[in-house]
Amino acid sequence: MRTFTLHLQEATGYERIEGVASFVGRDRTGSFGILAGRARLLTALEFGLARYRKPDAPWEYLALPGALLYMIENELFISARRYLRGSDADRMSRALEAQLSVEEESLRTIKESLRRMEEALFKHLWRMKRVGAA
C-alpha cells in the first residue's frame, strides 16, 4: 500500500509522521479523504476531529480548532494554532469541547471589554462635544 508523510505543525511544536495510508478531514464543503498520490490540495479544516491511519493500524484522531491543510508531492501539511492527537475518539471529542468552551468564554470576555471601551469612547466624545459647544 502506498503511503504519504503527515506534517503536524502548531505554534509550539512540530511532528512528522511517516507511512500514513489515509486521512479524513472536514472543510466547509463537507468530509473528504486523502490517499497517497493525491493531487495538490489546499483547504481550511473546520473546528472538529480529523483522523488518519497507517496501513493495518487503528485510526489516530486529531482534535483541531481549525487548521490549514496543504497536500503536495505526497506530503500532507496541517498547520494549526494547536492540536491534540490520540487514539480515543471520545476522549478527543471531550477535549475539543472543553477547548471550545474555553475559547468561547475568552471571546465573550473580549467582546465585553470592547463594548465597555466603545461605551467609554462615546461618553468621552459626547463630553468633548458639550465642552466645545459651550
Side-chain angles (χ1 to χ4, degrees):
M1 173 177 267
R2 294 179 56 202
T3 63
F4 58 90
T5 302
L6 174 59
H7 302 269
L8 298 173
Q9 302 165 320
E10 65 178 348
T12 59
Y14 166 80
E15 289 185 77
R16 179 185 176 111
I17 302 167
E18 301 282 348
V20 174
S22 62
F23 173 87
V24 177
R26 182 174 183 81
D27 65 7
R28 67 178 179 83
T29 64
S31 294
F32 63 91
I34 294 176
L35 299 173
R38 170 73 165 82
R40 185 182 306 192
L41 171 67
L42 174 64
T43 191
L45 295 174
E46 291 187 331
F47 188 101
L49 286 181
R51 66 182 192 253
Y52 69 92
R53 70 176 176 184
K54 295 181 176 186
D56 302 321
W59 288 104
E60 287 282 326
Y61 297 90
L62 295 171
L64 300 160
L68 185 62
L69 177 146
Y70 184 48
M71 179 76 172
I72 185 169
E73 297 177 5
N74 234 26
E75 307 256 338
L76 178 59
F77 297 87
I78 297 178
S79 299
R81 288 188 323 268
R82 64 184 169 277
Y83 65 87
L84 302 171
R85 185 169 73 93
S87 58
D88 184 341
D90 290 334
R91 191 176 127 263
M92 301 306 301
S93 290
R94 286 190 304 273
L96 192 61
E97 286 175 14
Q99 184 177 8
L100 176 60
S101 178
V102 167
E103 288 181 4
E104 285 178 345
E105 178 59 25
S106 177
L107 184 58
R108 188 197 63 72
T109 302
I110 290 169
K111 284 181 178 179
E112 178 61 23
S113 177
L114 287 172
R115 187 194 62 74
R116 284 192 302 259
M117 286 173 53
E118 184 179 58
E119 188 177 283
L121 177 63
F122 284 135
K123 284 180 182 178
H124 180 72
L125 290 173
W126 182 76
R127 278 189 227 120
M128 286 177 53
K129 185 176 180 181
R130 283 187 54 202
V131 169

